[in-house]
Amino acid sequence: MTREQCRAARAWLDWPQQELAKRATVGLSTIRQFENNLRVPIANNLSAMRRAFEEAGISFIEAGITYCDPSPASEPAPDTDEDEDLLG
């Protein structure tokens, strides 16, 4: 994850840096310094930040980020034609 992807993901989710810090369980200074290109977080923290985004529906791709709603999809309605075939 790049710092640009981090910023874009936060913007998409409308998360301030504090929200990412809370969800990833990392220090606020870690996020600030990463996004300001002052340092790269240790692998553990970077993974936690990425995981927090992914749990919220963000996917990281080479060109940037994509979003997929993480809420469970509703079950499709049963096919009534198939039910009729079984009954008769």
Side-chain angles (χ1 to χ4, degrees):
M1 175 175 67
T2 66
R3 66 188 178 103
E4 293 84 5
Q5 287 173 318
C6 184
R7 283 186 185 158
R10 280 195 316 98
W12 183 268
L13 296 169
D14 196 27
W15 286 1
Q17 290 176 334
Q18 294 86 343
E19 183 66 21
L20 174 57
K22 181 177 119 183
R23 289 177 182 250
T25 318
V26 300
L28 180 57
S29 63
T30 297
I31 294 163
R32 284 187 179 149
Q33 291 175 359
F34 176 53
E35 289 187 354
N36 289 317
N37 206 25
L38 298 174
R39 71 177 173 127
V40 176
I42 61 172
N44 228 19
N45 287 348
L46 199 55
S47 292
M49 292 162 59
R50 184 179 180 125
R51 190 170 38 254
F53 285 135
E54 289 172 343
E55 287 173 358
I58 298 291
S59 294
F60 295 90
I61 58 174
E62 192 172 323
I65 65 168
T66 62
Y67 176 77
C68 180
D69 189 351
S71 59
S74 59
E75 301 239 350
D79 185 357
T80 55
D81 293 336
E82 196 172 299
D83 293 340
E84 289 174 12
D85 289 342
L86 294 173
L87 296 174

